[in-house]
Amino acid sequence: MTDESTATGTLAPEVLERLRSQVRGQMYQPGDPGYDEARAVYNAMIDKRPAVVVRCHDVADVIAGVNAARDAGMDLAVRGGGHNGPGLGTVEGGIVLDLAPMNGVRVDPAAAYAVVEGGARWGDVDHAAHAFGLACPSGIISTTGVGGLTLGGGLGHLSRKFGLTIDNLLAADVVLADGSFVTAEAESHPDLLWALRGGGGNFGVVTSFTFRLHPLDMVVAGPMLWPLDRAAEVLRWYRDFLPSAPEDLNGFFAFLTVPPVPPFPEELHLQKMCGVVWCWTGPAEDAEAALSPARALQPALDGVQPMPYPVLQSAFDGLYPPGDQWYWRADFIREIPDAAVELHAQYGSALPTTQSTMHLYPIDGAAHRPDRTDTAFSYREATWGMVIAGVDSDPGRAAELRDWAVDYWDAIHPHSLGGAYVNMMMEEGQDRVRASYRENYDRLLTVKRRYDPDNLFHINQNIH
């Protein structure tokens, strides 16, 4: 800390007033009306009290917030959508830059790209792009922040067809630790653009992303579910089928509890099941042939149907509202041997709560085309990104969620590639961060030392 701030993490009055005079957005301190709402993040297991939350109105507000944190020697957290599992969009006793008001999206339909502000959520992008019959690869929940998902890589429904989100990132506007502003693109700061493609929030505050868009309007999509006693059978089939399927077909495998709401039939309500959530991006008339091998397994529920792509993207929003307790673990997976299938069936059958789940997200197809050193995201040879998520609304079950997720992960980790998707990690230590970047870590460290030599941006899966 400098003499402009105190050891308790409160801004000195003169620093606070200077910051207040420089920002147009709202600021919240402990005791202010709206402070508790301003400091809340998606995962209610995270309960931190920042010294000040700045809801940034524009890039000038971001610059002022970065300068204030640096000059006062205070911890700085940057929040986009706030979905980060370990709550790295907030910080105890420091400054939070909340980018939520910066949520504009501008689509150029002729050139097929979108310029997206750093606080936007994927639902904002889907809405704007869909009007022109375009889409950008992202995740599976539309309330997820664009910034966090992109900077970690971006796995979702379109990964096999159009690659990861970072494979469609053309440029980024960034506020650096010294308060300067740069645009990272192929012709300018290419090393920074490389690092932003998977290296997380280590290098600055991204205030705007430019994405390549793809022609996509309707998809044929939805879940197929099977009883748990067929889990091993279905998972063995899935591991063999999907990697050889057309790239137009994406499907993530899941263990889940059927929600007790329409359109799920009442006889399946609250049943634990396994399933695949499909997304077919090719011609609608070809979907039946592509999905016929799955239908040959006679699912207990076949919810696959034509729908606008944004409908699929928002289908799970209501099942995972903000304010639940979350604990997750993750790994990259190349193969699923029979021993791993049996472990998945064992732990997946023991979901501790109705919202707890395990997903296997495909990373093959178009996502395999870049080399493992072409972007900071290293695990291009992985076939799936696995996440184990213990979720419930009751804080009293937090330990139970954690124990199940950790036990599941401990059992299955020996069958992994060793590292994980950084967007789905808790705070698990520096060795785990290194393992998730492998040989790219040293190059990331070189970029870090150039753009953030004093590690101002360390509230993240940190590279240092």
Side-chain angles (χ1 to χ4, degrees), residues 248-259:
D248 275 308
L249 185 63
N250 200 91
F252 70 85
F253 181 91
F255 287 105
L256 72 156
T257 302
V258 177

Side-chain angles (χ1 to χ4, degrees), residues 31-256:
D32 287 347
Y35 171 77
D36 285 335
E37 291 79 7
R39 71 183 181 90
V41 291
Y42 186 76
N43 182 2
M45 202 176 285
I46 309 301
D47 183 20
K48 295 181 179 178
R49 300 183 64 82
V52 62
V53 177
V54 181
R55 301 202 75 207
C56 297
H57 180 85
D58 53 22
V59 176
D61 285 1
V62 174
I63 292 172
V66 167
N67 288 339
R70 183 194 63 246
D71 294 344
M74 296 189 73
D75 287 338
L76 176 67
V78 182
R79 180 188 307 159
H83 273 234
N84 183 266
L88 297 175
T90 187
V91 63
E92 186 70 32
I95 296 175
V96 171
L97 300 185
D98 183 355
L99 305 186
M102 299 173 61
N103 58 12
V105 180
R106 180 174 64 84
V107 174
D108 184 327
Y113 71 83
V115 178
V116 182
E117 287 189 296
R121 301 186 180 195
W122 280 108
D124 301 322
V125 180
D126 298 333
H127 172 78
H130 185 70
F132 302 101
L134 299 169
C136 182
S138 58
I140 67 162
I141 293 180
S142 75
T143 58
T144 306
V146 169
L149 183 133
T150 299
L151 295 175
L155 304 178
H157 292 301
L158 303 182
S159 299
R160 299 190 78 234
K161 179 63 175 178
F162 298 128
L164 307 181
T165 306
I166 54 172
D167 299 332
N168 298 275
L169 176 63
L170 303 176
D173 291 340
V174 190
V175 175
L176 301 177
D178 64 0
S180 63
F181 176 88
V182 299
T183 297
E185 53 191 346
E187 298 78 23
S188 176
H189 302 281
D191 55 340
L192 179 57
L193 181 62
W194 176 87
L196 295 174
R197 288 173 166 159
N202 275 281
F203 310 99
V205 184
V206 180
T207 58
S208 178
F209 299 85
T210 301
F211 295 109
R212 178 189 303 112
L213 302 178
H214 301 269
L216 186 67
D217 184 9
M218 299 290 291
V219 294
V220 180
M224 291 185 188
L225 303 181
W226 290 266
L228 270 185
D229 60 10
R230 298 186 63 190
E233 170 200 359
V234 173
L235 182 52
R236 280 193 295 268
W237 169 82
Y238 169 82
R239 74 173 181 196
D240 296 333
F241 168 75
L242 192 65
S244 61
E247 290 179 5
D248 275 308
L249 185 63
N250 200 91
F252 70 85
F253 181 91
F255 287 105
L256 72 156

Side-chain angles (χ1 to χ4, degrees), residues 225 257-273 300-301:
L225 303 181
T257 302
V258 177
V261 294
F264 298 101
E266 287 188 16
E267 62 269 21
L268 297 182
H269 286 183
L270 297 178
Q271 281 195 35
K272 294 179 182 179
M273 304 188 79
L301 172 73

Side-chain angles (χ1 to χ4, degrees), residues 217-224 249 262-265 276-282 284-285 287-288 291 295 301-309 311-313 315:
D217 184 9
M218 299 290 291
V219 294
V220 180
M224 291 185 188
L249 185 63
F264 298 101
V276 180
V277 178
W278 300 107
C279 176
W280 170 258
T281 58
E285 60 269 21
E288 178 59 37
L291 290 164
R295 291 196 166 108
L301 172 73
D302 184 345
V304 178
Q305 57 192 292
M307 63 183 71
Y309 175 66
V311 172
L312 174 63
Q313 277 288 88

